[in-house]
Amino acid sequence: MFIFEWLNNQLLRMEWLSNLIKLLVENGFGLSIQDRLGGSIHFYIYDVIKIFILLSVLIFTISYIQSFFPPERTRKILGRYNGISANILGALLGTVTPFCSCSSIPLFIGFTSAGLPIGVTFSFLISSPLVDLASVILLASIFNWKIAIAYVVVGIILAVIGGTIISKAKLEKYVEPFVFGNKILDVEQEELTTRERVEYARDQVLEIIKKVWLYILIGVGIGAAIHNWIPENIISAVLGQDKWYSVLLATLVGVPMYADIFGTLPIAEALVLKGVGIGTALSFMMAVTALSLPSMILLKKVVKTRLLAIFAGIVTLGILIIGYFFNAFGYLLM
Amino acid sequence: MIIKILGSGCKNCETLKANTEKTLKETGIEAEIIKVDDLKEVMAYGVMSTPALVIDEKVVSVGKVLKPKDIAKILENHK
């Protein structure tokens, strides 16, 4: 138990790094980290380095695992199941399939053309940006393992329920007709060699870092500002645990925003340190990552407004419920 | 020979096109390269991950930014 705790603190929370940066700020810059300026500089440097290290290691590992699940294989696996087990499997595969919002449309069409129910595809589309392995490890690093696991469980439940509702409501008529009846490419992909997988994983790391570094710098910047410059009473007046509207506000602000989960985590971290409920912080994070204007605009190409609105509605409602749930029972996880 | 590059206008598709052009030049193989960006047209090939490489209407690679040496190998096999 002691060894596990030590590993957790040093490898995931990177206490060594925190201490190192503390030395740098106090001796190098001559600032105390108890002060505002020293504190924000410490938070900023420590969080940026920590996130980049974790991110690189995680993306590498996860991409290696993901190279075993290209969309073609996912589709084949999903085709063998029906009903709710297909939704559950869709949600689970969503967490390991390589995916970015720009590839959601080809996936949607590819799955639907193969005859998968749209509900299963939506389970996949909801869980894919929401729950991925990297975000889970980062949550464990910033908060703790219980919260990380609870996040995965509720994220998958949301994806399963959302997809099931869309299945039951028979909304196929709101999908653009050209989506159905495309050719299904069934060339057996040649197995990758280990070297190719390693190369793929390395390329993914570079590509994702290139894509998200700015979001991370901005996200940590906002986090540092919240951490040291915005008075606690202002934050608790707007987002405090006791305010019934805090979750609603965090969700509505987060929905149109587009950022990577790695950029939003430091903001959530700073909010929680300021006494904001864990449910409020999680709602904000989920809203930012699961729904965004760019992905909505893309989806609009293949589904009619009605279905898009139902999709956004279900996900928003789910995020609100999760937020209130965590605010009510989150103390059990801290 | 007609080589098509299917994509959604992303950067990877540009890279694949450049790599293909480079391969043609190096190997001296004559072919016409066409870039297909239209979603409906791309989907008609049944691919789910872009970029994809199509040689004479046959899909030979999906979701990979092939390096020139990989493309050369594919062209060799295609003959």
Side-chain angles (χ1 to χ4, degrees):
Chain A
M1 210 51 219
F2 173 77
I3 292 178
F4 181 74
E5 204 178 304
W6 184 85
L7 281 174
N8 202 37
N9 285 340
Q10 298 300 330
L11 288 181
L12 270 181
R13 289 176 179 277
M14 301 200 191
E15 275 179 3
W16 57 271
L17 183 67
S18 176
N19 293 334
L20 204 68
I21 306 295
K22 185 174 169 219
L23 275 178
L24 174 79
V25 171
E26 294 195 328
N27 300 328
F29 301 148
L31 296 163
S32 161
I33 64 163
Q34 305 304 327
D35 290 344
R36 261 190 184 180
L37 186 63
S40 352
I41 293 176
H42 178 263
F43 183 93
Y44 194 83
I45 301 180
Y46 162 65
D47 247 39
V48 165
I49 298 179
K50 179 175 78 176
I51 291 181
F52 275 109
I53 295 178
L54 281 175
L55 200 59
S56 308
V57 176
L58 291 173
I59 295 172
F60 188 88
T61 318
I62 290 156
S63 303
Y64 192 85
I65 300 172
Q66 283 175 342
S67 70
F68 291 91
F69 295 94
E72 289 76 13
R73 175 174 289 174
T74 304
R75 178 169 69 181
K76 225 180 240 170
I77 298 174
L78 281 176
R80 283 190 229 123
Y81 293 82
N82 307 309
I84 193 148
S85 44
N87 287 85
I88 294 173
L89 203 67
L92 287 174
L93 283 169
T95 66
V96 292
T97 309
F99 186 73
C100 78
S101 58
C102 59
S103 52
S104 59
I105 302 309
L107 267 174
F108 185 91
I109 300 177
F111 280 15
T112 312
S113 292
L116 288 183
I118 54 168
V120 174
T121 310
F122 271 104
S123 283
F124 181 85
L125 286 179
I126 296 171
S127 89
S128 201
L130 202 58
V131 188
D132 72 65
L133 296 167
S135 60
V136 172
I137 308 272
L138 277 169
L139 272 173
S141 158
I142 288 174
F143 301 111
N144 64 45
W145 277 106
K146 282 191 233 161
I147 288 179
I149 290 166
Y151 177 84
V152 179
V153 172
V154 294
I156 287 178
I157 291 175
L158 172 63
V160 171
I161 293 179
T164 308
I165 293 174
I166 290 176
S167 291
K168 289 274 178 282
K170 302 254 182 294
L171 297 167
E172 273 79 359
K173 57 178 177 292
Y174 297 112
V175 175
E176 297 291 347
F178 81 91
V179 168
F180 299 100
N182 283 295
K183 190 165 82 182
I184 297 152
L185 182 70
D186 207 17
V187 284
E188 199 47 57
Q189 296 282 303
E190 48 185 310
E191 271 304 302
L192 296 173
T193 62
T194 304
R195 221 188 87 212
E196 281 173 321
R197 291 186 203 282
V198 169
E199 273 176 16
Y200 168 78
R202 189 200 57 206
D203 291 346
Q204 284 297 106
V205 172
L206 292 174
E207 202 179 302
I208 292 176
I209 296 268
K210 244 192 269 169
K211 219 168 62 188
V212 304
W213 67 271
L214 191 62
Y215 290 117
I216 294 174
L217 293 188
I218 295 172
V220 180
I222 297 175
I226 294 172
H227 194 259
N228 294 296
W229 298 87
I230 301 180
E232 197 155 340
N233 53 10
I234 292 185
I235 291 181
S236 62
V238 184
L239 293 172
Q241 280 258 38
D242 51 334
K243 305 290 183 295
W244 66 267
Y245 49 80
S246 65
V247 173
L248 189 66
L249 197 67
T251 308
L252 294 182
V253 169
V255 165
M257 274 175 62
Y258 175 62
D260 208 82
I261 189 156
F262 310 113
T264 42
L265 264 167
I267 302 179
E269 176 186 18
L271 287 174
V272 170
L273 286 174
K274 282 275 171 172
V276 169
I278 180 81
T280 311
L282 286 182
S283 292
F284 174 71
M285 258 172 49
M286 290 181 136
V288 171
T289 48
L291 295 170
S292 70
L293 277 180
S295 69
M296 288 288 143
I297 292 167
L298 279 174
L299 267 178
K300 180 73 191 60
K301 285 187 189 167
V302 285
V303 302
K304 303 205 167 102
T305 314
R306 177 97 182 251
L307 177 53
L308 196 64
I310 293 173
F311 166 66
I314 291 174
V315 176
T316 310
L317 197 68
I319 292 172
L320 287 175
I321 295 171
I322 290 170
Y324 283 111
F325 177 82
F326 268 89
N327 273 354
F329 300 104
Y331 66 92
L332 298 171
L333 304 169
M334 295 303 266
Chain B
M1 180 155 55
I2 294 174
I3 300 177
K4 284 185 181 169
I5 287 152
L6 314 182
S8 43
C10 52
K11 212 176 134 268
N12 287 341
C13 317
E14 287 297 332
T15 317
L16 182 62
K17 182 163 177 252
N19 285 352
T20 311
E21 279 163 358
K22 204 171 153 211
T23 316
L24 290 181
K25 207 180 273 173
E26 279 170 6
T27 54
I29 296 173
E30 299 249 335
E32 188 188 350
I33 299 180
I34 303 173
K35 202 156 163 282
V36 181
D37 284 338
D38 181 67
L39 185 66
K40 287 179 196 175
E41 227 177 301
V42 170
M43 289 318 300
Y45 285 94
V47 301
M48 280 198 289
S49 27
T50 56
L53 194 71
V54 177
I55 300 179
D56 290 336
E57 298 305 300
K58 185 167 178 282
V59 180
V60 290
S61 155
V62 292
K64 273 188 246 173
V65 182
L66 298 167
K67 309 232 159 44
K69 65 170 180 355
D70 304 319
I71 301 172
K73 216 192 279 167
I74 291 173
L75 288 173
E76 192 59 41
N77 290 340
H78 184 76
K79 264 191 230 165

